[in-house]
Amino acid sequence: MGERLKGKVAIVTGGAAGIGRATCELFAEEGARVVVADVDEPQGHALANAIGHDGGQAVFVRTDISLEDDARRLVAEVMHRFGAVDVLVNNAATFVLKGIDASVAEWQQSLGVNVIGTSLVTRYAFEAMKENDGGKGKGAIVNLASISSFVAQPEFVTYSATKAAVLQMTRNLALDFAPFNIRVNAVCPGTIVTQATERHRATVGMSMEAFMKLEGPKHILNRVGQPREVACAILFLASDEASFITATHLMVDGGYVAR
Ligand SMILES: NC(=O)c1ccc[n+]([C@@H]2O[C@H](COP(=O)([O-])OP(=O)(O)OC[C@H]3O[C@@H](n4cnc5c(N)ncnc54)[C@H](O)[C@@H]3O)[C@@H](O)[C@H]2O)c1
């Protein structure tokens, strides 16, 4: 158990699985009071219970980030239970992997969760963070962008456009929130083994071995990443160790975009 987030209240959207789950676990190990915000009730509750069982503190709040009422209720509930929001990790995302033939509904789904949903949770968390430090404001927000914010991938436009938007939102909001001592940064993972990549692999009908053979060499380190490796970067940006870091992004991509 570390103390890098000791006493901090941290909301992790999409916290029930994958990178979000690893982040919740690591944050709890570092002393945070963790709020798992997700649409997946069984997995969200199970994770909060498991963290409690291991001596950490976590609660699950059912949240669909694309719904404004849910975003508002999430922050209200966290304020009621813990009295503050110190850290927000905007991790929840939907994976609409389509080319230009995407329907309006598919575009709305992708933008509604990844861009508008991220902005909604941020808006209400920002209101809470402004109250920190005796009303002067303090907080750290970490957004999940991607290698897809930078590089073109085939038939990915509905997803990549949202991740490019998340990266630019990071810079804009860092500027807007700076007067309140609220830092906003992004991490940009390469291919990470999660439920999302599992679903994608199954959809394109590829064996795990074939997937690893294809994806690994795209990274300079010649392998894909694990959720915990992304969580470690998120922890750094969320912690006070990153107190002079804002409006930037940290690649966690095994060198993917340097190729
Ligand atoms: N896995 C990768 O290779 C990879 C690479 C780059 C970036 N990312 C980014 O990392 C983040 C996490 O990805 P992951 O692979 O862990 O995904 P995942 O699908 O494994 O987990 C995502 C979680 O978000 C939840 N979620 C989905 N829609 C939601 C909504 N509307 N409201 C609340 N919760 C919702 C899901 O229930 C799930 O628990 C995403 O932002 C993704 O874009 C992932």
Side-chain angles (χ1 to χ4, degrees), residues 59-109:
V59 295
F60 171 70
V61 180
R62 195 200 180 280
T63 313
D64 179 342
I65 63 160
S66 68
L67 303 176
E68 181 158 17
D69 278 353
D70 276 23
R72 189 190 297 114
R73 218 176 318 115
L74 165 65
V75 174
E77 181 146 354
V78 176
M79 291 303 281
H80 177 69
R81 279 176 184 243
F82 299 125
V85 177
D86 300 298
V87 172
L88 168 64
V89 181
N90 281 313
N91 166 80
T94 189
F95 296 81
V96 180
L97 306 178
K98 285 276 176 167
I100 197 60
D101 58 336
S103 66
V104 171
E106 286 165 336
W107 269 112
Q108 281 169 341
Q109 159 77 8

Side-chain angles (χ1 to χ4, degrees), residues 176-198:
D176 293 346
F177 295 177
F180 306 96
N181 197 23
I182 298 167
R183 299 179 296 102
V184 189
N185 292 293
V187 293
C188 303
T191 303
I192 309 297
V193 183
T194 67
Q195 287 179 12
T197 38
E198 265 305 287

Side-chain angles (χ1 to χ4, degrees), residues 5 21 37 42 52 55 65 72 75 87 104 116 120 135 144 151 153 157 159 205 214 218-219 232 239 247 256:
L5 294 180
R21 181 188 179 94
I65 63 160
R72 189 190 297 114
V75 174
V87 172
V104 171
I116 301 173
L120 291 173
L144 270 288
V151 299
Q153 294 154 293
V157 68
Y159 175 74
L214 177 74
K218 293 179 183 173
H219 306 73
C232 288
S239 76
Y256 189 114

Side-chain angles (χ1 to χ4, degrees), residues 14-250:
I19 294 167
R21 181 188 179 94
T23 303
C24 289
E25 290 168 345
L26 183 58
F27 277 19
E29 288 168 28
E30 291 293 334
R33 289 173 282 173
V34 177
V35 181
V36 183
D38 204 294
V39 284
D40 188 333
E41 289 202 47
Q43 282 211 86
H45 277 302
L47 175 60
N49 290 339
I51 288 174
H53 191 260
D54 290 344
Q57 275 194 74
V59 295
F60 171 70
V61 180
R62 195 200 180 280
T63 313
D64 179 342
I65 63 160
S66 68
L67 303 176
E68 181 158 17
D69 278 353
D70 276 23
R72 189 190 297 114
R73 218 176 318 115
L74 165 65
V75 174
E77 181 146 354
V78 176
M79 291 303 281
H80 177 69
R81 279 176 184 243
F82 299 125
V85 177
D86 300 298
V87 172
L88 168 64
V89 181
N90 281 313
N91 166 80
T94 189
F95 296 81
V96 180
L97 306 178
K98 285 276 176 167
I100 197 60
D101 58 336
S103 66
V104 171
E106 286 165 336
W107 269 112
Q108 281 169 341
Q109 159 77 8
S110 194
L111 292 163
V113 176
N114 299 4
V115 179
I116 301 173
T118 295
S119 82
L120 291 173
V121 179
T122 303
R123 175 197 296 182
Y124 292 102
F126 171 55
E127 292 305 321
M129 286 176 176
K130 282 198 288 191
E131 302 303 317
N132 291 340
D133 198 14
K136 285 190 279 184
K138 183 165 166 50
I141 298 174
V142 183
N143 295 329
L144 270 288
S146 173
I147 50 171
S148 305
S149 310
F150 298 91
V151 299
Q153 294 154 293
E155 307 286 310
F156 248 59
V157 68
T158 42
Y159 175 74
S160 298
T162 67
K163 290 289 142 180
V166 167
L167 182 61
Q168 188 55 30
M169 279 165 67
T170 300
R171 300 172 180 134
N172 280 56
L173 295 177
L175 181 69
D176 293 346
F177 295 177
F180 306 96
N181 197 23
I182 298 167
R183 299 179 296 102
V184 189
N185 292 293
V187 293
C188 303
T191 303
I192 309 297
V193 183
T194 67
Q195 287 179 12
T197 38
E198 265 305 287
R199 276 194 307 270
H200 179 55
R201 187 184 64 73
T203 307
V204 297
M206 209 181 272
S207 71
M208 191 49 144
E209 202 189 351
F211 180 77
M212 293 295 191
K213 252 193 180 149
L214 177 74
E215 288 299 318
K218 293 179 183 173
H219 306 73
I220 285 180
L221 292 178
N222 201 27
R223 66 172 176 86
V224 299
Q226 296 300 323
R228 179 95 176 184
E229 296 181 289
V230 184
C232 288
I234 296 171
L235 169 64
F236 167 62
L237 290 172
S239 76
D240 287 340
E241 290 165 12
S243 55
F244 199 49
I245 301 177
T246 197
T248 195
H249 61 274
L250 179 52

